[in-house]
Amino acid sequence: EVFAVHMTYGAKADYKSGGREPTDYVNSRLIVMWGWSPGDGTFGTGTLQYLKLAKKQGARIVCVDPRVTRTSHALADEHVFIRPSTDAAALIAMAYVIVTEGLHDQAFLDRHVLGFDEAHLPAGAPDGASYRSYLLGLADGVRKTPAWAAAITGMPAETIRRLAIEYATTKPAALQCGYAPGRTANGEQFHRAAYALTAITGSVGTPGGNSGVSNGATGRGGIRSLPPGPNPAGARVATPLLADLLERGRAGGYPADIKMVYSVGGDLFNQTPNTHKTAAAAERLEFMVVHDHFVTPTARYADVVLPATTFWERNDVHTPWAGAGHYVIFMKQAVAPMYECRNDFDICADIARRLGIDDYSDKTEEEWLRESTRWPSRRTRTPTAWGRSRRSRPGFPTRRTAAGIRCGWSPRNRGRARTRSTTTSRSSCAPTATTSGSTPPTPPHAASSTASPCACSTSAAPPASRRVSPTAWRPASCPSRKGPGSRRARTARTRTAAPTC
């Protein structure tokens, strides 16, 4: 998918910053989970709970998967079966329906997308090279109709058409893709087809929408990697070619005949194609070391297994939700290392010492952690300031209006409209809307010309199509009473500039 992101969103696009946070699921009216099941593969703690909250608040969930997953069994309003490895064809046919029936967002395409139609091709591109020409068969003579995709995917043509129309007309809608559909031959085309579908519907960069990228919203959250050393060989081999590399080496055109493998934190047999060929090649290695938490299938072939500490047994830093959060947490060591387990840092430092490398590291573990999370001179954001992730993300287009970048509104903010007559922005900007009673104010992206021109004004309520009862969004931790011990009263004594409920 990294390749697909760079080919579609730009060579400098940050793959880790391409998706969205689980807190945004509740803003979607439709969530299409394509080959994605956080109930089976976690995708960050809390992801499934946020999906359940979205469903509780009225989001319709559709799963497209060759099998019934734990997630679809528990949450899906509809499960659509598809033949494995044919996902790109279904997505392309959906794009055909959306374009031919005039449901695409032409204004968004004109402003942000290069190559959708002939009028927006890059310089030097040949005629007929646009995505629209491809869909209509102008380039290869094959129209990418639902009937065309049905013969490939096993999905009924009418189901493909219906799903396409629902995705294009339900706003906001999110296409959440998993990694599995792309882990096939030419699998990058699945991801590119997903990105194209989100682009032609104008779903990129919108609250409740999505870019189609499988990963989270802000990736590493500012955590910097340890400085990598130089590669003396100056050569790299793609992971899917591991089995062929081990078997043929120089005879197969590879840079070396591999005699030894040192595998750190990765189950090679489980993550690369052609497991039997990989295992057979591993048998022929002269020496193999596995450095991991568990005795994985790969570890069973190792000559030496180095047990590493888990995150409970060491200090570390991480961004929540598998890298999808916009803030960093410090994970304090909970227990002493068990048995013979050692910190990765200590293992590598010891090996370096025995190899005569004296300048491997000049810092302690704590010093490295502090340096890796050193932030620029700006205010550190907290989990409650999640709306920041709705702003411009490096490498990805964001939808803008005359008032500036659209900012998200959170469930916590939604409840404020019911207790205050004036909704103020997060910054020092003037009020953006006025309301009375329980009528929600206009969201920022639909504000009238009288709204504040602040580029980051924040509304307090969902759009009219997602209205809820006046009390439905009051935080559970905010009791209705206003006594001296209530959260509202406590907050009022320390911060009176903004409402808390």
Side-chain angles (χ1 to χ4, degrees):
E1 187 177 9
V2 177
F3 171 82
V5 166
H6 292 165
M7 290 296 295
T8 309
Y9 285 111
K12 296 183 179 180
D14 183 359
Y15 156 70
K16 287 289 188 179
S17 302
R20 62 176 184 156
E21 295 181 15
T23 47
D24 186 48
Y25 297 158
V26 75
N27 293 323
S28 302
R29 291 185 60 203
L30 172 68
I31 300 175
V32 180
M33 302 195 301
W34 205 296
W36 184 65
S37 177
D40 295 281
T42 307
F43 278 86
T45 54
T47 299
L48 195 60
Q49 285 71 23
Y50 279 106
L51 281 170
K52 290 179 179 178
L53 178 61
K55 183 176 177 65
K56 184 177 180 181
Q57 298 303 328
R60 171 172 155 79
I61 297 178
V62 177
C63 288
V64 180
D65 204 287
R67 63 190 180 91
V68 175
T69 65
R70 292 179 181 178
T71 309
S72 64
H73 178 75
L75 298 178
D77 296 287
E78 179 181 5
H79 187 109
V80 179
F81 292 95
I82 186 171
R83 188 172 293 132
S85 304
T86 65
D87 307 87
L91 291 168
I92 292 168
M94 288 174 63
Y96 173 91
V97 172
I98 293 170
V99 171
T100 56
E101 301 198 16
L103 301 177
H104 56 293
D105 189 336
Q106 188 65 49
F108 180 83
L109 291 167
D110 291 343
R111 188 171 185 180
H112 295 295
V113 179
L114 190 67
F116 169 72
D117 50 31
E118 304 302 312
H120 296 88
L121 284 174
D127 292 338
S130 70
Y131 191 57
R132 185 177 183 276
S133 294
Y134 170 73
L135 295 175
L136 300 180
L138 302 181
D140 57 6
V142 179
R143 296 175 70 87
K144 310 308 183 293
T145 64
W148 165 82
I152 300 171
T153 65
M155 291 173 61
E158 182 52 39
T159 299
I160 295 174
R161 181 178 181 276
R162 175 176 54 80
L163 184 58
I165 294 173
E166 182 179 11
Y167 176 70
T169 58
T170 305
K171 301 292 184 180
L175 175 61
Q176 182 67 53
C177 296
Y179 297 113
R183 289 181 172 170
T184 60
N186 303 311
E188 68 278 0
Q189 300 303 339
F190 158 73
H191 293 291
R192 297 188 70 195
Y195 307 158
L197 199 63
T198 62
I200 66 176
T201 55
S203 298
V204 181
T206 60
N210 199 11
S211 64
V213 176
S214 302
N215 212 71
T218 52
R220 301 174 67 91
I223 300 178
R224 294 180 293 182
S225 299
L226 297 178
N231 180 359
R236 297 187 301 174
V237 176
T239 303
L241 298 175
L242 175 65
D244 198 50
L245 164 67
L246 296 179
E247 181 180 41
R248 298 200 294 159
R250 292 183 185 276
Y254 295 103
D257 295 319
I258 305 301
K259 305 293 185 181
M260 172 185 170
V261 167
Y262 189 117
S263 175
V264 183
D267 188 358
L268 301 178
F269 294 0
N270 191 40
Q271 293 293 313
T272 57
N274 205 331
T275 300
H276 293 295
K277 186 175 180 179
T278 304
E283 289 273 23
R284 294 191 291 271
L285 288 169
E286 293 182 10
F287 195 66
M288 186 173 183
V289 180
V290 169
H291 170 161
D292 213 328
H293 300 317
F294 309 103
V295 181
T296 63
T298 306
R300 295 181 185 280
Y301 282 76
D303 297 283
V304 174
V305 174
L306 301 177
T309 51
T310 63
F311 61 87
W312 288 292
E313 303 166 279
R314 63 170 187 264
N315 294 312
D316 212 335
V317 290
H318 192 53
T319 50
W321 306 317
H326 65 270
Y327 56 95
V328 177
I329 56 176
F330 174 69
M331 302 190 299
K332 183 176 176 59
Q333 179 180 343
V335 296
M338 302 288 287
Y339 311 109
E340 298 180 22
C341 294
R342 299 188 67 196
N343 192 319
D344 301 88
F345 179 81
D346 295 332
I347 292 174
C348 294
D350 250 8
I351 293 175
R353 227 175 350 258
R354 298 189 184 200
L355 291 174
I357 303 174
D358 300 324
D359 59 348
Y360 174 75
S361 173
D362 59 353
K363 296 180 179 67
T364 64
E365 176 196 71
E366 181 178 342
E367 288 171 337
W368 277 119
L369 291 177
R370 288 185 179 279
E371 180 169 310
S372 67
T373 55
R374 187 173 298 165
W375 289 82
S377 55
R378 61 182 174 84
R379 182 178 178 182
T380 301
R381 298 186 179 272
T382 62
T384 57
W386 73 275
R388 181 192 68 79
S389 63
R390 307 279 74 77
R391 301 183 193 176
S392 179
R393 301 169 187 160
F396 290 86
T398 54
R399 185 177 292 229
R400 296 172 179 266
T401 63
I405 302 173
R406 291 185 179 183
C407 294
W409 20 260
S410 70
R412 176 179 175 182
N413 286 337
R414 288 182 178 183
R416 296 180 180 174
R418 282 76 180 184
T419 58
R420 297 283 174 165
S421 60
T422 301
T423 304
T424 57
S425 65
R426 281 194 186 142
S427 63
S428 59
C429 304
T432 58
T434 301
T435 183
S436 60
S438 61
T439 304
T442 306
H445 52 282
S448 67
S449 59
T450 60
S452 166
C454 170
C456 190
S457 57
T458 305
S459 172
S465 59
R466 292 295 305 275
R467 290 180 183 175
V468 293
S469 63
T471 59
W473 279 103
R474 184 163 56 205
S477 60
C478 184
S480 58
R481 65 181 185 277
K482 300 181 182 179
S486 69
R487 179 173 179 263
R488 184 179 302 178
R490 292 197 305 271
T491 306
R493 290 195 294 269
T494 59
R495 187 185 62 186
T496 58
T500 58
C501 302

